[in-house]
Amino acid sequence: QLRIVESGGGLVQPGGSLRLSCAVTGFSLDNYAIGWFRQAPGKEREGVSCIGNGGSVTNSADSLKGRFTISRDKAKNTAYLQIDVLKPEDTAVYYCAASYGTLCPPHFGFYDYDYWGQGTQVTVSS
């Protein structure tokens, strides 16, 4: 059964860090690019970061580059999103998605991703 399961979210104080995990079962990530998206309350889902099959990284915005770090472990069939110096505006449900192919799809197009997880909630509050 094909599944993507995100984990690692939770309640964290501003300035804290989290590492989100994206565990895949039922297919190999070797042929997929992995993207992280987030959706804040009342807002549209937006792309955060993507890592291609060969390790190339695309971030949706330069403002995220220093605090968000995407990585993947092919042996564990898992991808990660490290978020540092968390801010209240980072509060959102974070989703992981897989796109077949070597490179990340352009512009974080939702329809370019084949499989999605159910999301993990990240809440940043004091």
Side-chain angles (χ1 to χ4, degrees), residues 6 20-22 34-37 47-49 70 79-81 95-96:
E6 302 94 334
L20 307 182
S21 297
C22 169
I34 302 300
W36 281 96
F37 295 76
V48 174
S49 188
I70 191 171
Y80 305 95
L81 183 69
Y95 298 90
C96 175

Side-chain angles (χ1 to χ4, degrees), residues 3-7 20-25 27 29 32-39 45-51 70-72 77-81 93-99 108 110 113-121:
R3 283 189 76 191
I4 293 180
V5 179
E6 302 94 334
S7 62
L20 307 182
S21 297
C22 169
V24 174
T25 57
F27 67 98
L29 284 180
Y32 289 81
I34 302 300
W36 281 96
F37 295 76
R38 67 182 182 181
Q39 187 165 17
R45 191 174 300 188
E46 63 175 355
V48 174
S49 188
C50 178
I51 185 166
I70 191 171
S71 61
R72 62 193 296 164
N77 219 29
T78 300
Y80 305 95
L81 183 69
V93 178
Y94 284 73
Y95 298 90
C96 175
S99 175
F108 289 89
F110 300 154
Y113 287 82
D114 305 289
Y115 304 107
W116 289 81
Q118 294 301 307
T120 184
Q121 176 71 47

Side-chain angles (χ1 to χ4, degrees), residues 8-74:
L11 174 64
V12 63
Q13 292 187 344
S17 297
L18 282 174
R19 189 176 80 154
L20 307 182
S21 297
C22 169
V24 174
T25 57
F27 67 98
S28 171
L29 284 180
D30 286 357
N31 297 318
Y32 289 81
I34 302 300
W36 281 96
F37 295 76
R38 67 182 182 181
Q39 187 165 17
K43 295 188 177 181
E44 293 185 353
R45 191 174 300 188
E46 63 175 355
V48 174
S49 188
C50 178
I51 185 166
N53 186 26
S56 60
V57 174
T58 302
N59 294 303
S60 63
D62 288 340
S63 61
L64 301 178
K65 190 175 182 179
R67 299 192 298 116
F68 290 75
T69 305
I70 191 171
S71 61
R72 62 193 296 164
D73 185 332
K74 290 187 177 182

